[in-house]
Amino acid sequence: MNKVKLEGIRDGYNKRFDCIDKRIIICAGTGCVANGAMGIYDEFIRQLDKAGINVIVELDKEEEGTLVSKSGCQGFCQMGPLVTIIPGKTMYTKVRVSDVSEIIETSILKDGTVERLIYRNIETGEGCPSVDDIPFYKKQSRTVLKNCGLMDPSDIDEYIARGGYFAAEKAVASMSSEEICKVVKESGLRGRGGGGFPTGTKWELAMKENSADKYIICNGDEGDPGAFMDRSIMEGNPHSVIEGMLIAARAVGANAGYVYVRMEYPLAVARMKAAVRKAEEYGIIGEGAFEDRIDFKITVMEGAGAFVCGEETALIASIEGKRGMPSPKPPYPSTYGLFGKPTVINNVETLATIPIVLGNGAGEFMNTGTERSRGTKTFALTGHVRNTGLIEVPFGTTLREIIVDIAGGVVDNDGNPCGVDFKAVQIGGPSGGCLTKEHLDLPLDYESLKSVGAMVGSGGLVVMNQQTCMVGIARFFMKFTQNESCGKCIVCREGTKQMLALLDDITEGRADETTIPLLSELAGVVKVGSLCGLGKSAPNPVLSSLEFFKDEYIEHVENKRCPTGSCKALARYMIIEEKCKGCGLCARKCPVDAITGEKGMAYRIDADKCIKCGACIEACRLSAVAMG
Amino acid sequence: MNMKKRIYIDNIETTVNDERNLLEVIRAAGIDIPTFCYHSEISIYGACRLCMVEVEGKGLVPSCSTIPEDGMRVRTNTAEIRKMRKMIVELTLASHDMSCPTCAKSADCKLQDLARRMGVDEVRFKKRTPKKPIDRASESLVRDPNKCVLCGDCVRVCDEVQGIGAIDFAFRGSESTVTPCFGKNLDKVECVYCGQCVRVCPTGAILPKSHISEVWEAINDPELTVVAQLAPAVRVAIGESFGLEPGTNSTGQIVAALRKMGFDRVYDTSFAADLTIMEETNEFLGRIENGNKMPMFTSCCPGWVKFAEQYYPEYLDNISTCASPQQMFGSLCKKTYQRSGASSAEKLRVVSIMPCTAKKFEAARPEFTKEYGRDVDYVLTTRELALMIEESGLRFPSLAPDSFDMPFGFKTGGGVIFGSSGGVTEAVLRYAVEKVTGETNFGYVFESVRGNKGIKSAIVDLSGNKLRFGIVMGLGNARKLMESIKSGEEHYDFVEVMACPGGCVGGGGQPVPENMETTVRRSRGLYENDRMLQLHKSQENPYVSELYDKLLVSPNSHMAHELLHTSYKPRQRTEGDDVSILSGQADDRTEITFCFGTGCFVKGAQELLKETVDFIREADIADSFDIKATFCHENCSRGPVVDFDGEMIEKCTFEKIVSRMSAVRAGKE
Amino acid sequence: MKYATVKKFENVCEIINKHGRDSANLIGILHDIQEEYRYLPKEIMTFTATMLGIAPARVYGVATFYSHFALEPKGKYVIKVCDGTACHVKKSTDLINAIEKRLGLSNENKTTSDMMFTLEAVSCLGACGLAPAMVVNDEVHGLLTPETAVEIIEAIIEREKTS
């Protein structure tokens, strides 16, 4: 492979692309597939064929017809299945198999739009036919995700036609290791996995080591619950990751690389493996790639279900076939990593950003974001907002812009809009803290988040409405972290276990005046004393919620009451007077005789005797018993 | 010029010499930073978090994995550090079985000590772990997971130093536990009972099995005669339990104590060691003369013997057939029971006091059980003896020394140095030189086989015959040595293997040493003792000569073989690791087991299995057979080996199997 | 049935060879063995350990560390309900309770006695936009309610009855 060949492939693809009339892109990310996207894909092919149109599935020759492609996650998951028509970038939402013939009729055979399938602006009611009109997308800055959702991830030619692998060619053929590291350092790119460590500096440290063998590892063990950015990149644009790794290999002097993907992402695993094979076929990676300019072999490895393996030394242990337990640092992986050799571990999004930083997008990248947090960041926006999904915004974007402009505002448990009336936004997953309404205008970047006790993390953003119990959320995250703790160091292993037990005491009514101070003290020790990032950040949700929602905690402890009614063990069971006909069924079912009353009159539950078993709720045929 | 780094520890300037990390520098400066999971000879683990110190500009860091840098300012005891250490102890105690008063580790337990030092007077956390079962299944060791702090020291010693890995971590997070594979007990897996795990365990999670009550019972039984034999390594270490310096020779006090405790006779294992030298050296020289397969390996270390039976069964013929001194002694004692004042061999009890936990396993081996019972009835470790002495109310250091009973209490220096790595070889040489050259005036010290290296080698010229001696301590080193012999890279004529680093002085039953320095001092104590004795060469022991005259006739005689020699057998590493491939339904099935050890595998075991199964399938006779795969040997040169209904077919072929199958079927018709 | 065991065993030898008999590939090897047997039988793990030249205790340690590896046989249909943040916030716990109730399972007892279903709660399948979600074998189902989740189970039970 060389530059001339790349150009040839690009030109060849473009020529083929010019021949086709229309292109139908069906989102085939995990979410849309779960919603039936594959059935829609098959239906399109069937119906187009019936309509006498030449259906092209693989663009390998110049011919007229309609190209039907499956893409990676387009991000607008709430609205899926998604179908986009090129030209025009018309996006159809919530498409069903039965809509396919109409879409073909209207948008393929003719140039019209199927109005009822277009996204409608909730405020104005206006239709947004093109992707670019949709507020969800309009306010984003899709850079890394630019091509996700608009290209066929299995077509390497398309990737090249969109500029792919040209940056790698430049790096391999005409740049020195020092030059590459310098460019990356100057770009200000920081690790997108949560650490925020300057990527260029990391590469430089490994570059300086003297060793015949060095490794590049792509950390695709995105375990944060509520985060799927890396998955989307691996599914939607796997070659961008490979290109990033190749450039890293050149910069550092590595001859082998691993892509470690969670096994819970089978589609991502398959797409990465296929992309690696294709890149090898084209002489872009492998032995003697780019006409013998570099040897770089990539192996794709599946994880086996351990969140802690996202920590770099644990990841290394896993690749070495061991238990994924972290090791103390120093020595750092850049000196002594995989199999004892200098190793660079980068997050998927970081690697996917590298071709941009080294390519034509460098200037734009440098000019986006804030002084110390350059560029854009992907976020998985979930929770109680109207539009959940995958977004990408420049660093420095405020919470308000995300919640209002992009997500369309907060909703309550029944789906009713609540403007910006949220209780908290959890940012950074189980390692992160929460932001409240007082942070609505806080610019999101590494420094400002750190200053309020939160962190960017990998990019999970969960919006929680007023009906959410913050103590319950803290407990939920602690349960997760405790379950995933590797168990090596005493502090995290025992500390998270006892913290979880204390939180259980709080949410189940067993706490007393010593509980919260003990929880605080323990949280402080776990934060400082743990061996790895998992332990060190495990107390964050607790510390953060204690800071902003102390009252809720106190209510749970002193009054044994959960203000939002979410903690089942603290719920008060009450009989709704208006609904109760006095049949006495609940009283008969009550195992502790807590319900009393006279026939024909509303019964009452004695809260002191009630053991909250729920038998009365089940028994009542009039739904007159409620939990609050 | 190489300027040494200088750091400031609690504002005092300290020079960094060649310490590997900040922890070692601080300890060298005299400040005792507590740790659970740090031992200088195993890898750095970083799990206990007790060694955290404050480094200016960096905050709290674990000192075991921090490299000292010039100008570093370190504080070792700030309020934050104290708070953290206290919390760590509290958390550990919350999931610990706090039965200190009844725990055998009570005086020695690092956790208990730390709780006391940190002033932890309250555990504010509830116990949230269910009780786990205790493993008492083996003869030698008792595992109590309820006392484990998961420091991983035992795992790392078993893996890195001993090269076995019989125990490892399993499960994750708060479910983590240290266990043999599949949660089995130690007696069903490849543990060789060397007890190095006991040596490094900070708590009572793994301890030698106690036989104290059995011994007391025997002593208190008026019908029984109870004799003790004392191993050399014990005498230079037991004093540590009573405040004496490591290496102090307290033989006299031990003998006195044993008599006061009620033993009828007190003998010296070193006597039997002299005897072993006679047998083994003659065996060695005989093998050279007969051109047998070399090298010859020593057999006195039971951990090594089990190791060899498991991993190197093809070398079992190379191991000396001599029993260990402990066993030779037991057998001899029971044969000559009148000498010890017993009415019969059945009424005699032999108790050996050993630095070793594997000796308990050795004493229970079926090869050492005769018609009258065991040759050695009970084995007490050094620490068990110390406990019994305390139990008796004796003030050990101030006991008036006493001497052994004769004749089995007389020894030469050669028998004493058995306890140190290189000692057996040196004792062999002291005899071999005289036997081969006829010389008697040579110096008895052989420096070339002494020293604290893991693998030592020395070439000794015996009348023109240049013989190469190898001395190994630690089973990881033994494995290295074995591989170098197998590959032909190295050649030895005689190899001494001690499972424990330092030799028996570093055994699992000894008082827990501060560090490797303690073991070296104990060794030195033995060589000192040797120097002070009148005789140094085993062949000069007059009572040994008398024994040959009166009973054994000559070394390696028939009588000697009957009493003093033994045999070995290959062992499966994990019990029940046969893989059942095909199970027939018929009543009289024929069992065919295919060996899948490395050697057999590369010689076509898999293909052979496939061919056989295909044949069975085609002939539709599956019901008459049980097909299994197993690991019998690891690199058998006679492979592929197939066990056909009890008959071992070597260099097996498909034809050989088919012909036997036809014979079976013909026999049935 | 008889020869299935033989084939499986032969495949184990294949698997270990395919991975270069390298202990660094232990996790990939265990993945493939679990594909073959639907769980990791003890003797096979010991066999693997010896073939790779590592201690069985180490293989056991790796197999018990990672959630994916099963030491007990799982049901024919493995139901994984996502309990990641997004799903949790959208009441995934109700889904779990509903399925548990329908199949008579609990926290201690995760597999039905007829070996048809195994129910597990997993953290984050990455389908957060479709919370709450669950995966049955390889099929992802999203935007579920306790009722629709149980319906999916019922459909499988029906299908199994007729086949």
Side-chain angles (χ1 to χ4, degrees), chain A residues 31 34-35 77 225-226 228 231 262-263 265 303-306 309 318-324 382-384 462 476-477 480 484, chain C residues 23-24 26-27 31 58 61-62 64-69 83-86 88-90 123-126 128-130 140 143:
Chain A
N35 257 344
C77 310
F228 56 105
R231 177 177 67 70
R262 293 178 78 203
M263 52 130 308
Y265 289 170
C309 287
S318 196
I319 297 182
E320 290 175 348
K322 303 180 186 147
R323 290 162 63 88
T382 58
H384 299 133
V462 187
F476 167 76
F477 280 127
F480 172 79
E484 296 291 342
Chain C
S23 64
L26 178 59
I27 290 172
H31 262 297
R58 178 169 148 199
V62 168
T64 50
F65 183 84
Y66 296 96
S67 320
H68 176 64
F69 295 134
D83 198 27
T85 319
H88 183 84
V89 147
K90 295 250 170 99
S123 354
C124 202
L125 299 164
C128 316
L130 291 173
V140 182
L143 297 169

Side-chain angles (χ1 to χ4, degrees), chain B residues 128-326:
Chain B
R128 314 230 180 225
T129 28
K131 194 157 163 92
K132 300 194 184 100
I134 301 175
D135 171 7
R136 294 187 216 273
S138 77
E139 279 296 319
S140 301
L141 301 170
V142 177
R143 274 191 321 118
D144 186 352
N146 303 298
K147 296 183 179 165
C148 179
V149 297
L150 295 160
C151 65
D153 288 350
C154 56
V155 172
R156 295 197 317 289
V157 150
C158 191
D159 177 41
E160 294 168 19
V161 176
Q162 301 299 69
I164 296 177
I167 45 176
D168 205 333
F169 285 100
F171 302 99
R172 188 172 78 197
S174 50
E175 308 276 306
S176 291
T177 181
V178 173
T179 174
C181 61
F182 314 122
K184 290 184 197 248
N185 284 335
L186 276 178
D187 64 331
K188 296 271 185 284
V189 298
E190 48 206 336
C191 172
V192 299
Y193 312 117
C194 66
Q196 288 305 294
C197 48
V198 174
R199 176 172 70 85
V200 293
C201 179
T203 65
I206 183 148
L207 290 172
K209 195 172 210 177
S210 172
H211 290 99
I212 294 179
S213 28
E214 287 90 332
V215 173
W216 277 131
E217 219 180 283
I219 290 179
N220 292 335
D221 187 341
E223 309 252 316
L224 299 174
T225 306
V226 187
V227 308
Q229 52 158 320
L230 182 70
V234 179
R235 64 202 68 185
V236 288
I238 197 171
E240 292 162 38
S241 299
F242 300 99
L244 301 175
E245 288 295 313
T248 312
N249 186 353
S250 39
T251 314
Q253 285 109 315
I254 300 174
V255 179
L258 288 168
R259 276 200 224 285
K260 284 190 199 286
M261 278 158 56
F263 282 89
D264 296 299
R265 297 282 189 280
V266 183
Y267 295 126
D268 195 341
T269 312
S270 299
F271 167 83
D274 279 334
L275 184 59
T276 308
I277 291 300
M278 303 304 293
E279 292 293 315
E280 200 158 330
T281 313
N282 278 294
E283 183 190 358
F284 175 50
L285 296 172
R287 287 192 190 210
I288 298 176
E289 221 181 277
N290 296 339
N292 286 17
K293 203 162 81 143
M294 301 305 263
M296 187 178 96
F297 293 92
T298 55
S299 56
C300 44
C301 174
W304 151 245
V305 170
K306 186 169 194 267
F307 182 86
E309 285 176 324
Q310 282 171 184
Y311 301 107
Y312 296 100
E314 68 273 24
Y315 281 92
L316 289 180
D317 288 336
N318 291 52
I319 302 182
S320 161
T321 56
C322 292
S324 66
Q326 166 179 278

